[in-house]
Amino acid sequence: MRKRKFDLNALPAAAGNEIDDRLHAATPLRKLMNKVFPDHWSFLLGEVALWSFVILLLTGTFLTLFFDPSMEETVYNGSYTPLRGVSMSRAFASSLDISFDVRGGLFMRQMHHWAALLFVAGIIVHMFRTFFTGAFRKPRELNWIVGLLLFWIAIFEGLFGYSLPDDALSGTGLRIMNAIVLSIPVIGSWIAFAGFGSEFPGTEIIPRFYTLHILLLPALLVGLVTVHLVLLLLQKHAQWPGPGRTNYNVVGERMVPRYASKMGAFFLINFAVIAIMSGLFQINPIWIFGPYKAAVVSAGSQPDWYVMFLDGSARLFPAWEIRAFGYTLPPIFWPAVVLPGILTVLPMIYPFIEARRLKDRRVHNLLQRPRDVPNRTALGVMAIAFYVVLVLSGGNDIIADQFSISLNATTWAGRIGLLLGPPIAYWVTYRICLGLQQHDREVLVHGVETGIIRRLPDGRFMEVHQPLGPTDEHGHGQLEYAGWAVPKKMNRLGALVPTVKGFFFPVERPSRTPIGNGGRPVSTGPQGQRELEEAERPR
Amino acid sequence: MSTIGSERSHTAGAGDTAHHSGGQPDIDVHDPSLSRFELVREGARRDGVEIVHYAPRFPIPGTKAERRIERTIALLFLLTGVAGLAFVVIFVAMRFAYTPGTNSAKLFTPLLGVTFGVALLTLGAGIIMWAKKLLPEEVAVEKRHLGGSPPDDKKIMGAQLGHIAEETAISRRPLLKGALLLGLAPVGVAAVVLPIAPLIKDPHGRGDPLLHTGFDPEYNNGNPVRLVREDGTGIRPDDVSAGGQMTVYPGIPHGATNFWADSPTLLIHLREADAAVARSNLARIPLNAPTPDNPDGGMWQNFIAYSKICTHLGCPASLYEQQTNRLLCPCHQSQFLITDNAKPIFGPATRRLPMLPITVDDDGFFVARSDYQVPIGPAFWERS
Ligand code: FES
């Protein structure tokens, strides 16, 4: 039998042919690889969330191999000596084993927790980006809603995961959840008993949360993330306005290799940051909290940061209980059930409210600078102010303790702040937006300040302005505002040496004006000369 | 070839705006004189993408600047290897089991984090540098189609959907419609009921757990339940000094475990003066008030016992401020005045902490005279 000659160089092409014969993939694959993505740092925020989610799936799968979601009592006998001989649930004991007896288990646990915090944080900043730049407008309303669903599922996913180890903090959290459910009118106690299987705490809740945490919610998250990304691919990424960019195109780099390799590298860096944080910064040290005991709680116990706003709202809401006809509506119903309900629905319908208000039915693929939409920006900042007051109030005991303020005073400050803060934030933001807009227009009309003062023959002084483009007979610039950054310094125009960026501090070296020809800035030929003279005309 | 051709006509058909790519006919991709890049550009064009700018970062290959970047990237990748190796060695070889005190085992996790992190960080940084500094720079413009599908396709789709409805002729066959609905309804109900029904439990079923705690004599064969410590030992009045307090549990099997999470109680020994105030306030609450056959009311001498479960959301209200006689719940800072039937005086809680009526039995141990007379802990709808 003759040996067939084996040509190594032809192998990829041959393999490619064989695959394509079966999958018919060349055309769609090329289309995918040629997809153009616009580049801007703010588009990376969503990736933080995406990659943290991938890390959560990886580390979470590892943890399931060792975690035992059982509330059966057992006596701890592992290597963490301070808790030896203490009776606790198997969930807590196996969490201790992961932390102390599984090689690398603590590292994995901490990565899982840090990644979870970063996941929610990534989602929130990504939503801010989407909101403030108007990326949620037609045709992307559906993806905005999918994103909001992802946000709420992520919060519940985090809440359930946090409850699993059955330590003193998470048990207290579970008890609070139980009380919140109990507060629902008419069917509250029925729902609580359906969930917990008996009076609090029972023995069902951790196994059930485990199923939700590792099966149901992750499946939902994976599904919705897929929908989110497919919609992104179909609708193409929105982009900032700029040279050559229109509503009808996408300007950027093709996906493979540039965009994809940057994305992959960003995943690695994201992973690296989480790994380093998990190595160096302890998080949720359950062995210090100890197992959950109904009678024990420590002061200063805080939930994970993303639930803190609910904790804050529970602290601030006044003691208004409604009792009538032998029935009770506990006050916690309003801040812990009604408020999150409003917070879920309102943002979901916001795109439609805004479009209706502006009678805007157009398709928008260009983003807006926040300053150009003062009303929306101010509304967003108002929401942030509301949120920040709630988060701070979630830690008001710590604030009171650290700054030696009376606890009651911080509660009242929170209550008043919650009412006054948002409107003030709205007004201030609105004014700032208008101011920024005005400054942009001013530079477009009058030119960039050059820092050169000239003395006119009649003795007056005036500053020389460099117009950005052609001017009319009054020396006013004729450029239209294009919805994008207006250069405001000479070195942004290329007329002067660029600013020096520092590593720790921005060292904007005062760029030396090349003086020498009568104090005129860089001579740009007769054209520039004329512009300068026109700019100097008294207005 | 035919698929590629149709692909092209698809992109060209759907609103072409680019300057010179749209009208161009397909070039012959088998033309041997075409460079590889020209093929790439043609592919992009067929996908509606125009590569408008494409230039190498270093027009002259092998300059010093280029080599310096290459060296930096290589260094980063080598660092990845070093850190990765360190990670593997530490992971496999280092002792990590918990030992009290300061020791090297405590460094296990930090070292894992740093080595793993550095390995990934350098790898990522190297790739980014490669993409940003060595790959030729490119600006590509992809066309975007505004609005929905082409009108033709919309029309066809509408016809197709209408045709499907027509084929089934659902509107023309009311019998089938009705039968289908009748058939589906129970299945739908089953689909909802099946997963939910097994979860439903009557919260006021056996023992009415929301209304009873472990101090109910029912759980102690009808005898009054002792107040015990966590280890199950009984408590005599001498065990708590004046001004002191103690967390107590029902003296029944497993009384101090989470199974009886509704039962933890705070037993407080008030100072003489405070006790007098507390006693005088008892009468304000009928349930706690002294009666002819029980002149002490809910208290026993200077001792008073309240549920430890906060009436707000159920945290243990455990911070007892001796000076002001306030009990503070650390969760949301509700404050209860011990000397006035534990009424809430600040914070979100709306209800008093229920009082456990106590006395001392013949052996000199504290017992509960009865269970709590109102449900303990957070309120709920049917709690009047
Ligand atoms: S649980 Fe006690 S104040 Fe909220």
Side-chain angles (χ1 to χ4, degrees):
Chain A
M1 200 172 122
R2 235 171 34 147
K3 234 183 172 180
R4 249 209 292 164
K5 226 169 82 209
F6 183 70
D7 184 359
L8 199 65
N9 287 332
L11 186 65
N17 265 330
E18 292 297 324
I19 294 175
D20 189 61
D21 282 351
R22 289 163 178 80
L23 301 181
H24 200 81
T27 319
L29 202 62
R30 188 193 71 211
K31 203 165 170 63
L32 188 69
M33 294 198 301
N34 275 337
K35 211 150 184 59
V36 173
F37 281 86
D39 214 0
H40 189 261
W41 64 265
S42 65
F43 302 160
L44 286 180
L45 300 173
E47 271 182 49
V48 173
L50 176 66
W51 297 135
S52 304
F53 180 55
V54 172
I55 297 168
L56 282 170
L57 290 177
L58 295 176
T59 51
T61 308
F62 175 89
L63 293 177
T64 58
L65 303 178
F66 301 97
F67 180 67
D68 179 4
S70 155
M71 292 171 92
E72 198 184 310
E73 287 281 316
T74 177
V75 174
Y76 181 66
N77 199 19
S79 53
Y80 184 63
T81 30
L83 283 179
R84 256 192 214 160
V86 174
S87 75
M88 56 181 68
S89 66
R90 298 185 57 123
F92 188 70
S94 61
S95 304
L96 288 180
D97 287 345
I98 290 174
S99 309
F100 293 111
D101 293 293
V102 174
R103 193 172 276 277
L106 180 61
F107 183 47
M108 283 291 191
R109 241 199 76 216
Q110 304 206 129
M111 280 214 280
H112 197 65
H113 205 126
W114 276 118
L117 298 186
L118 213 63
F119 179 44
V120 183
I123 293 181
I124 290 181
V125 284
H126 174 59
M127 290 204 305
F128 281 154
R129 196 279 289 175
T130 308
F131 182 81
F132 285 117
T133 62
F136 58 80
R137 292 173 299 165
K138 189 177 172 184
R140 299 187 176 74
E141 304 99 325
L142 183 62
N143 229 8
W144 168 252
I145 292 174
V146 171
L148 279 165
L149 288 177
L150 278 169
F151 167 71
W152 284 107
I153 297 175
I155 285 204
F156 275 101
E157 177 71 347
L159 207 58
F160 292 164
Y162 178 80
S163 304
L164 291 181
D166 203 19
D167 59 286
L169 278 191
S170 70
T172 306
L174 273 178
R175 185 152 217 174
I176 292 177
M177 272 186 244
N178 181 62
I180 291 173
V181 174
L182 275 179
S183 78
I184 298 172
V186 186
I187 49 171
S189 55
W190 289 83
I191 302 181
F193 271 66
F196 285 75
S198 66
E199 194 185 14
F200 175 84
T203 53
E204 304 286 338
I205 193 68
I206 286 184
R208 284 179 185 172
F209 272 10
Y210 188 61
T211 307
L212 291 174
H213 180 75
I214 71 161
L215 184 75
L216 208 61
L217 296 190
L220 269 176
L221 283 173
V222 169
L224 285 175
V225 165
T226 313
V227 171
H228 205 63
L229 294 179
V230 167
L231 280 178
L232 163 78
L233 281 180
L234 286 179
Q235 300 182 323
K236 304 198 174 83
H237 210 291
Q239 62 187 349
W240 288 104
R245 299 181 185 176
T246 69
N247 215 11
Y248 304 90
N249 68 13
V250 196
V251 177
E253 297 176 328
R254 287 173 306 145
M255 184 153 93
V256 182
R258 283 166 191 75
Y259 191 72
S261 55
K262 283 187 208 166
M263 248 177 110
F266 192 62
F267 167 62
L268 294 173
I269 290 173
N270 205 34
F271 207 157
V273 170
I274 288 177
I276 293 175
M277 289 207 299
S278 314
L280 299 182
F281 309 125
Q282 190 176 69
I283 183 135
N284 202 19
I286 48 165
W287 55 93
I288 294 177
F289 309 146
Y292 174 61
K293 288 208 159 44
V296 183
V297 76
S298 64
S301 53
Q302 247 74 32
D304 271 352
W305 74 268
Y306 46 82
V307 238
M308 242 161 91
F309 79 101
L310 283 182
D311 204 47
S313 72
R315 290 176 190 211
L316 293 188
F317 196 81
W320 293 339
E321 185 168 289
I322 301 172
R323 289 174 221 180
F325 312 113
Y327 294 105
T328 302
L329 188 53
I332 188 63
F333 177 65
W334 306 107
V337 182
V338 174
L339 177 74
I342 295 175
L343 292 184
T344 320
V345 174
L346 212 55
M348 279 193 189
I349 54 174
Y350 182 78
F352 306 101
I353 298 179
E354 193 190 272
R356 212 191 155 97
R357 204 173 55 83
L358 300 175
K359 301 204 174 37
D360 178 7
R361 304 201 55 225
R362 285 165 303 152
V363 167
H364 298 279
N365 292 317
L366 288 178
L367 300 172
Q368 290 170 304
R369 301 175 82 196
R371 68 184 61 176
D372 294 335
V373 204
N375 188 44
R376 180 204 297 149
T377 307
L379 274 178
V381 176
M382 183 166 146
I384 294 179
F386 184 78
Y387 179 82
V388 167
V389 174
L390 288 183
V391 171
L392 288 180
S393 302
N396 69 344
D397 49 338
I398 293 179
I399 295 175
D401 187 47
Q402 293 293 317
F403 298 99
S404 310
I405 313 169
S406 130
L407 193 62
N408 305 5
T410 59
T411 302
W412 275 107
R415 285 173 180 168
I416 295 168
L418 198 60
L419 294 180
L420 288 188
I424 294 177
Y426 182 93
W427 186 80
V428 170
T429 315
Y430 203 96
R431 301 311 305 177
I432 291 178
C433 286
L434 292 187
L436 289 171
Q437 270 185 29
Q438 202 167 5
H439 191 234
D440 282 348
R441 304 294 195 280
E442 196 181 296
V443 172
L444 284 172
V445 171
H446 296 302
V448 179
E449 293 174 357
T450 59
I452 298 165
I453 311 288
R454 294 198 71 196
R455 190 171 183 194
L456 301 182
D458 57 5
R460 283 183 302 150
F461 290 93
M462 65 182 324
E463 189 178 4
V464 180
H465 284 73
Q466 166 70 54
L468 291 170
T471 50
D472 62 11
E473 66 273 21
H474 304 294
H476 290 172
Q478 287 171 310
L479 284 180
E480 288 273 333
Y481 177 66
W484 188 232
V486 176
K488 293 186 179 164
K489 283 183 185 159
M490 287 303 276
N491 36 27
R492 292 291 299 275
L493 296 177
L496 294 176
V497 204
T499 41
V500 180
K501 285 183 198 149
F503 192 81
F504 286 111
F505 309 98
V507 209
E508 181 158 357
R509 204 200 305 142
S511 24
R512 272 172 289 114
T513 321
I515 301 175
N517 50 351
R520 293 209 168 91
V522 199
S523 125
T524 45
Q527 164 74 12
Q529 198 79 358
R530 215 193 65 235
E531 279 176 6
L532 272 178
E533 271 149 22
E534 277 168 14
E536 286 162 25
R537 273 197 209 140
R539 298 188 253 269
Chain B
M1 195 56 214
S2 68
T3 50
I4 293 177
S6 68
E7 179 67 27
R8 187 201 65 79
S9 63
H10 165 72
T11 44
D16 224 331
T17 53
H19 341 284
H20 43 81
S21 67
Q24 267 175 26
D26 282 0
I27 57 174
D28 176 14
V29 296
H30 298 292
D31 180 352
S33 68
L34 282 181
S35 73
R36 192 180 260 169
F37 181 68
E38 277 165 327
L39 279 177
V40 169
R41 179 167 262 174
E42 167 67 8
R45 199 184 62 80
R46 291 182 185 188
D47 293 333
V49 174
E50 199 194 343
I51 302 173
V52 292
H53 172 74
Y54 189 86
R57 303 265 168 189
F58 298 98
I60 306 157
T63 55
K64 246 188 177 162
E66 185 180 4
R67 284 209 310 273
R68 192 166 50 235
I69 291 176
E70 243 179 67
R71 274 200 306 275
T72 314
I73 299 176
L75 183 72
L76 285 170
F77 288 163
L78 290 178
L79 269 177
T80 306
V82 173
L85 187 68
F87 174 79
V88 172
V89 170
I90 291 168
F91 189 82
V92 173
M94 195 168 158
R95 219 177 53 79
F96 73 97
Y98 176 84
T99 355
T102 359
N103 50 58
S104 65
K106 299 248 160 47
L107 287 176
F108 182 68
T109 302
L111 283 177
L112 285 189
V114 170
T115 49
F116 192 59
V118 168
L120 295 182
L121 199 65
T122 47
L123 184 59
I127 296 176
I128 286 207
M129 244 184 130
W130 194 334
K132 287 197 130 170
K133 302 242 159 127
L134 290 185
L135 278 185
E137 52 186 33
E138 157 181 318
V139 177
V141 180
E142 184 175 3
K143 273 171 287 178
R144 224 194 253 277
H145 313 298
L146 254 52
S149 318
D152 287 8
D153 288 352
K154 278 190 184 174
K155 174 117 192 161
I156 293 174
M157 192 61 184
Q160 196 155 352
L161 292 177
H163 179 66
I164 293 172
E166 207 176 286
E167 277 179 317
T168 57
I170 191 94
S171 50
R172 189 152 69 66
R173 307 195 211 273
L175 176 65
L176 285 187
K177 206 195 308 192
L180 184 65
L181 278 183
L182 281 180
L184 273 185
V187 177
V189 172
V192 175
V193 166
L194 208 67
I196 290 181
L199 291 176
I200 302 283
K201 281 230 165 97
D202 183 0
H204 303 289
R206 209 158 56 89
D208 210 347
L210 282 176
L211 307 186
H212 298 279
T213 74
F215 286 104
D216 195 324
E218 186 193 324
Y219 300 108
N220 197 26
N221 306 321
N223 303 318
V225 180
R226 272 193 186 158
L227 279 54
V228 299
R229 295 185 183 81
E230 201 176 347
D231 59 10
T233 52
I235 298 153
R236 295 171 187 277
D238 299 342
D239 296 341
V240 189
S241 52
Q245 42 128 358
M246 182 186 273
T247 301
V248 298
Y249 305 86
I252 54 173
H254 307 289
T257 65
N258 287 343
F259 182 78
W260 293 105
D262 54 2
S263 304
T265 299
L266 204 60
L267 177 66
I268 305 170
H269 187 175
L270 293 168
R271 291 203 197 74
E272 196 55 55
D274 300 331
V277 179
R279 236 188 314 276
S280 67
N281 280 331
L282 280 183
R284 294 174 173 214
I285 303 298
L287 285 175
N288 302 343
T291 51
D293 51 309
N294 175 23
D296 272 344
M299 292 174 70
W300 183 84
Q301 296 187 358
N302 293 347
F303 289 82
I304 199 163
Y306 291 111
S307 164
K308 203 176 171 182
I309 308 305
C310 182
T311 55
H312 180 226
L313 299 181
C315 283
S318 49
L319 303 181
Y320 175 44
E321 253 191 345
Q322 274 196 22
Q323 317 313 340
T324 53
N325 277 315
R326 286 178 183 196
L327 198 60
L328 175 91
C329 175
C331 282
H332 314 100
Q333 286 88 47
S334 289
Q335 291 158 28
F336 303 91
L337 190 58
I338 292 307
T339 47
D340 185 4
N341 303 289
K343 90 169 176 206
I345 48 174
F346 188 79
T350 45
R351 290 173 182 266
R352 298 163 189 277
L353 292 173
M355 186 184 289
L356 184 70
I358 49 171
T359 185
V360 168
D361 66 9
D362 299 339
D363 300 330
F365 291 109
F366 278 111
V367 291
R369 224 189 257 281
S370 74
D371 195 0
Y372 287 99
Q373 287 145 297
V374 287
I376 61 94
F380 46 95
W381 177 252
E382 58 270 33
R383 178 205 199 285
S384 56

